Amino acid sequence: MAYPKLIESDKLNAPYVDAIRSGLGDYDQRKSGLPGSVPLVIAAQDPESGTIVGGLVGSTVHAVLYVNTLFVDEAYRGTGLGGQVLAAGEEAARRRGCRVAVLWTATFEAPGFYERRGWEVFGEVECAPPGEKVIFMRRYL
């Protein structure tokens, strides 16, 4: 058997991503007896324009919510929309049986936003630009 060729890409090539995710999901399900990763998207849509102005992208797996991305357009920051989006994601995760949520953010992004909503730091690593850190956070649901 020939050793597999490695392919590097800066695109989320659907066939590659699907094969990798389903391979791990199938393996995890066989080993744990639990369902694999289920995507979770909470979108905030402007009622007048229909434009998506923020939201959350993540997944739930093994009773854990993984928040990959949370964004609110600058025009809506400070309005409470970010907190509503995060709370909606947490509630959806609870309905799916999740007991904890995790994410990472950078020191120049929004750690204070999450801390004010009950999230706690459980690790950090230095990142670029110099002096900044990636902060790993969790919240028990």
Side-chain angles (χ1 to χ4, degrees):
M1 173 179 1
Y3 194 77
K5 175 176 98 174
L6 300 181
I7 303 166
E8 179 180 330
S9 177
D10 62 356
K11 306 269 187 281
L12 290 176
N13 184 309
Y16 299 166
V17 172
D18 292 346
I20 294 163
R21 286 182 177 160
S22 68
L24 180 59
D26 292 348
Y27 174 84
D28 285 354
Q29 191 165 12
R30 284 193 313 274
K31 291 293 187 177
S32 71
L34 299 170
S37 179
V38 178
L40 175 61
V41 177
I42 306 292
Q45 184 179 43
D46 181 280
E48 294 174 10
S49 68
T51 303
I52 301 302
V53 296
L56 177 151
V57 177
S59 61
T60 56
V61 62
H62 305 303
V64 177
L65 165 63
Y66 293 93
V67 177
N68 300 102
T69 306
L70 191 145
F71 172 76
V72 173
D73 184 273
E74 287 187 45
Y76 290 88
R77 291 185 187 167
T79 66
L81 179 60
Q84 289 178 326
V85 167
L86 185 59
E90 292 170 354
E91 181 55 35
R94 282 185 199 94
R95 287 194 310 272
R96 294 181 182 190
C98 293
R99 297 183 306 258
V100 67
V102 296
L103 61 80
W104 69 267
T105 188
T107 48
F108 59 85
E109 289 180 331
F113 167 83
Y114 296 107
E115 288 174 328
R116 288 189 300 276
R117 287 157 181 82
W119 289 69
E120 63 183 358
V121 174
F122 70 90
E124 56 184 45
V125 294
E126 294 179 10
C127 70
E132 301 293 347
K133 296 179 182 178
V134 169
I135 300 172
F136 297 90
M137 303 183 84
R138 71 177 163 224
R139 177 163 185 205
Y140 293 99
L141 303 173

